[in-house]
Amino acid sequence: MAPPSVPSSSSSSSAGASAAWRRRPVLLALLLLVLLFFLSFQVVVHVPSLRSEVSRRLFSDHRRRPTREAGSRSCPGCGDLQDEDFNRTVAYTDQDGRIKLFRVTAREFAASSIWENPLVLTDSQQVAGTKEAVEEQLLATGSEAGNLSSAGVSATQRTDPIKLKREVFRRRRKEERIQELLDMDKEVELQMRNAATNSSRNFDNKVKLSYNIWRQEFHHTNTDSTLKLMKDQMIMAKVYATIACSQDEPDLYASLMKCIKESKAAIGDAHMDSELDSSALDRAKAMGHVLSSARDVLYNSDEVSRRLRVMLQSAELNIDTVKKQNTFLVQHAAKTVPMPLHCLHMQLITDYYFRDGVIKEHFHDAALKDEEDKEKLEDRSLYHYAIFSDNVLAASVVVRSTVTHAKEPDKHVFHIVTDKLNFAAMKMWFISHSSRPATVHVENIDNFKWLNSSYCSVMRQLESARLKEYYFKAHDPSSLSDGTENLKYRNPKYLSMLNHLRFYMPEIHPKLDKILFLDDDVVVQKDLTPLWDVDLKGMVNGAVETCKESFHRFDTYLNFSHPKISENFDPRACGWAFGMNMFDLKEWKKQNITGIYHYWQDLNEDRKLWKLGTLPPGLITFYNLTYPLDRTWHVLGLGYDPAVDIAEIETAAVVHYNGNYKPWLDLAISKYKPYWSKYVDVDSSHIRHCYASKE
């Protein structure tokens, strides 16, 4: 049997070719399907654009036809479409690949609104004049013409009509400005140039109020955030330390106490972060770690809150103690005589009793002057002042400042009353420091024989054992240990009758009609003689009121829980100030002011109506008998209020250092002190001797 034959290469190639030819119709069919699918997709997407494009081309062909007369139709091209049987057939394939036909008629062209616009240029016209034509149309017909011209512009340059209108406006404004500059006067032009030059010279190119956290000048060194953080850490460390001690955690307790000690050392006396020690941040971090550990071990909300309440109560007690100590020390400093002032008194007393040749001459001249001025002391046509003081320097400033501003100083008479202890010093000062041409008369309160305990209620009370106990016994409620409410009333001035002499003016000056009372802590800055011309309208006391809203009214000074006070006085009545008061002594005698004062003073023997002092009984005594003076006559508060308006001080006739910070003390408010010190006689040998030793 013969072996099978192996087919040759030629036969195999012919077989492959025949197979390929058999597959070719299949491939062509597939390609045709893909093409049909693609065409159908294009038709689906672009049918609207296709219809629009077909219409545009058909219409553009129609526009190229010769047009008929303009009068025979309403719009270009409309007559051709209406007269002729205009239609076109268009073929397209749908999304399924089927070929479809549709006819475009004249009505569809009308519905598409693609007609020739009279403002659109033809192809034969130049595009260069498009903008000028549109501008003229805008200016001539307004916004409607602008809307019509938008199609023409879009056909050439697509320019927005609003932008074109703005451009026209800018161009015209520029032309008008150029014309104004051309017509401008030479002088005006020169002024404009100079103004521009000055403006450029004064221009500051630095950016003001700019802020950059990286700039050195904006590093806030006066903050206290770190300081507060460390203090808060110390408080919590103390809380946890007490808890650790109670729960037998010696290691944690030692760590907390160590951190507290280190934080205290780092803080020192610092008030700002810049004053802290360089190791403060490291100490704060170390404290934070220890507190975190303590919180994990010891934290119990109830225990921590209880410890914090205990610490808060302890802090409040400490604050109260410090306040009491502060009040006591301020009162102590206020009533303590400074060394230079004590020296001045001693020097004057020594000179008064041990007179040398020069001092004897002063006494001789003073005696002669007293004889000459004796009649002035009771002359009602002169200006009389009442001053009650045991402070030589203060009284000298009052007299000197008043005489300095007086227009007629020879008509001013000063009646100074002092106590026995200071009479020699006061007398010696005004003998050796003459205030001529003014008259100064110094009296001793002990020479007033009518002033005794049988007549004067307050003197009888000052001598009583109960009042002495109130002042000097430590267990009294006004003592430091029991409270500070009445501590200020322990000032010795409330024990001095000089403070109460203001209620006995007619007894001291029986022949005068009017007198101006001045405290020894005032400074006169203007001529006070117009006060004698003020009509008090039948009132006894002329004073400046001090009430502002709810402050310094009667309920501030008097006890309105007492029926005697609540039945006779209005708690909202306005208070006024002693310090500069014009007293009508005629009306005083008519109204029996001293008798009213005695009546109320006797009722207050147990101090239930008011505390000690002269203002509360003054408010009661002169109730409805006080005439309010203009505020510019008397400005108060320089002895306690650092916020008094400087403008008010400058324009005031009298400024008053009422309060503890008297101008002759080191406690004085520094910015107010010059108003007083400029009237101190620094050329005096006594003052130079005493105050030089202080320096």
Side-chain angles (χ1 to χ4, degrees), residues 241 244-245 249-261 290:
C245 184
E249 294 284 348
D251 295 338
L252 190 55
Y253 175 80
S255 299
L256 288 168
M257 296 305 296
K258 179 183 177 183
C259 288
I260 292 172
K261 184 178 180 181
V290 175

Side-chain angles (χ1 to χ4, degrees), residues 66-83:
T67 58
R68 299 179 182 180
E69 291 78 3
S72 62
R73 55 186 180 271
S74 60
C75 63
C78 295
D80 293 340
L81 296 175
Q82 293 170 356
D83 297 342

Side-chain angles (χ1 to χ4, degrees), residues 131-136 139 163-179:
K131 283 190 177 181
E132 288 76 1
V134 173
E135 291 175 7
E136 293 177 1
L139 297 173
K163 292 183 179 179
L164 282 176
K165 195 170 184 178
R166 289 176 182 169
E167 186 177 348
V168 173
F169 175 73
R170 293 191 193 101
R171 186 183 302 168
R172 287 199 172 183
R173 186 174 60 183
K174 183 177 180 182
E175 291 175 357
E176 291 174 0
R177 181 59 180 162
I178 292 172
Q179 189 63 34

Side-chain angles (χ1 to χ4, degrees), residues 549-578:
E549 297 178 357
S550 61
F551 300 103
H552 298 291
R553 297 189 180 271
F554 271 44
D555 57 357
T556 306
Y557 307 98
L558 304 177
N559 179 19
F560 275 86
S561 63
H562 196 285
K564 275 289 184 180
I565 297 296
S566 59
E567 292 171 3
N568 291 279
F569 304 102
D570 179 11
R572 304 297 300 162
C574 189
W576 45 268
F578 274 126

Side-chain angles (χ1 to χ4, degrees), residues 26 68 97 103 111 138 140 153 171 175-176 191 200 250 277 289 294 302 398 403 406 418 420 427 486 493 598 695:
V26 178
R68 299 179 182 180
R103 179 173 294 178
L138 283 169
V153 177
R171 186 183 302 168
E175 291 175 357
E176 291 174 0
Q191 291 177 359
S200 61
D277 188 78
H289 292 307
D302 295 336
V398 176
V403 173
T418 188
K420 183 178 181 179
K427 188 75 175 177
N486 303 323
K493 71 178 183 179
H598 284 163
E695 297 176 357

Side-chain angles (χ1 to χ4, degrees), residues 452-466:
N452 50 60
S453 57
S454 61
Y455 174 69
C456 180
S457 302
V458 70
M459 181 173 282
R460 183 171 61 253
Q461 293 172 9
L462 290 175
E463 293 175 353
S464 66
R466 291 181 60 186

